[in-house]
Amino acid sequence: MSPRTNDGEREQPGRPDAGRPAPQARRPEPATGRPASEPETRHATSGDDAPGTGATGSATEAEAEARDAAGPAEAHTSDEPAQSAESTTEARPSDEPARPAEPETGARESDEPARPAEPVAEGGDERVAAVRRVGAAGRRWRAVHLGACAAMLAVALTAGAVALGAVHEQRGLPVAAAAAVSPGLLAGGDLDASITALQTHLRTQPRDFGGWATLGLAYVEQARTKGDPSRYPQAEQALKRSLALRADNDQALAGRAALAAARHDFAGALSFADRTLKQNPYNERALSSRIDALVELGRYADADAAARTADQRRPGVPVFTRYAYVHELRGDVTTARRVLERALAASSSPGDIAYVAAQLGQLAWNQGDYATALTHYARALAADENYLPALEGRARAQAASGRQAEAVKGLELIVARYPLPGPLVELGELYEARGGTGDAAKAADQYALVDAWTAIARANGVNADLDTALAAADHGDRATALRAARDDWSRRHTVHTADALAWALHVNGKDAEALPYARQATATGYRNASFLYHLGVIEKATGHPQDARTHLSAALKLNPGFSVLGAREARTALKSLEATK
């Protein structure tokens, strides 16, 4: 699915970073939701792993703007517990993304969530409060179907946590307090409660630029953790307000980088990260966002250099995980694993442990080592039983291991909470593969919800071209897939966009044009079975049978369960090639 893109340090109340700050507890950066830990004395590159204040506007105007940007306090309350305000999407290409993006997620800790979350059993056997049903069976006109799915998606985005209990994914340190806000007021770590407190504070202190910056970051995090892109316009308004009050404050500039990355505007994210680093070269949030932006623009050599610079200035879990991903994209799985293991050893909070263990699980799954992947996901879930990337990864590993009933149950729980493109497509494909009564309609509903999500995302300034291309090529309108893939390629040249464009061209019958892109997707050495499968199928279609056999065999050897439908097609194509030798 989409790449991982998907963090920052805890801000001192009322004080932006200045010079090289003293070591502080860290937490995830908004750029991709990667978490942080206590500062480390060792670097990712060390040892064997070497690879001016000005208030503007009248008080009345400021208060009016405060009301507009902050919004009604009650509008953002929820039954979900704490999410850190300083992380965001597309971590690994959700990997996704991840990576994605996406971007595509970071972990936090919270000692006491607003209300207890209903646990999700490791085997997926415990009861849940409810599992949302999506779509209605039967044929509908596409516009009606999409409208109904969009409505259900909106319900899921705002009320999913009520149905399934509170979620304490990404739990951690409370939202950084503004100058006039008591840190104790936010000590519960509940993101929604923290937003409410900030809104209340800003109605009485509308010139607090630090408070506006923190509120903007909190909205970005709320959008990411709940899969609700409608928060992005509010985040933009709050961050702009902060910069209007103090144009040079690096907290708000770093927030703009995080917001741009969350909307998949990676050129904008890079620009804001660079502006932030001119103000404060040690702003960890901006250092991390800069790496993410370079990765998502396909500038891998520059991303590697940026990771090394960040490692020298602010070593720790946020930089270690990014450093590992840069190496994984270039085929150096050994270094990626070693650095992630170091990051896990450096992690002390449940949030950091959940995040890094889930990344190790994803790395193992990519190499077809499902037992190790499940072990890492179990460790992540022991730290945070509702950490969604680990729940999704576990379901994927279960499906690849032949435990499809458990995988379906786990993914149904995930999409009921957060109907995001990656798990929606995965669940739809599992329904298709199962082939029971009503499964075809269930699968169609999942794919329609992807369309609904992307429509909502676009309406709120998110570039969803990669998500659209990946989903539509196999499960939607093929012409739409190609248009989206071409648009994304026009902005950035990554291995993921090359693969998406190659596959979109293939399903539209343009295999000769697709072949160079499919080869480019695998040129860095990135070990991804889906990319190898796509390349092999395109080589078969263009009259390169020997190359096709090589790459289809390599895909199935690397990760034989990379996709329940794709792996089946790869075996079929390979069998036909062997028959014609």
Side-chain angles (χ1 to χ4, degrees), residues 240-255:
K240 283 183 176 179
R241 176 67 177 157
S242 178
L243 290 168
L245 291 165
R246 175 176 280 187
D248 63 349
N249 84 84
D250 63 296
Q251 184 185 6
L253 288 169

Side-chain angles (χ1 to χ4, degrees), residues 256-318:
R256 290 301 304 271
L259 175 60
R263 285 173 153 173
H264 298 180
D265 174 15
F266 299 110
L270 180 60
S271 176
F272 277 114
D274 285 341
R275 285 178 59 185
T276 306
L277 293 171
K278 287 181 180 178
Q279 297 295 328
N280 177 7
Y282 297 94
N283 184 304
E284 185 178 55
R285 188 176 298 112
L287 288 166
S288 297
S289 294
R290 190 169 193 276
I291 302 168
D292 296 333
L294 289 167
V295 165
E296 295 302 328
L297 290 169
R299 295 169 53 181
Y300 300 130
D302 291 338
D304 183 54
R308 292 174 184 275
T309 297
D311 184 44
Q312 291 300 312
R313 294 180 185 176
R314 300 299 297 271
V317 170

Side-chain angles (χ1 to χ4, degrees), residues 18 24 186 254 497:
Q24 305 174 48
L186 306 177
T497 52

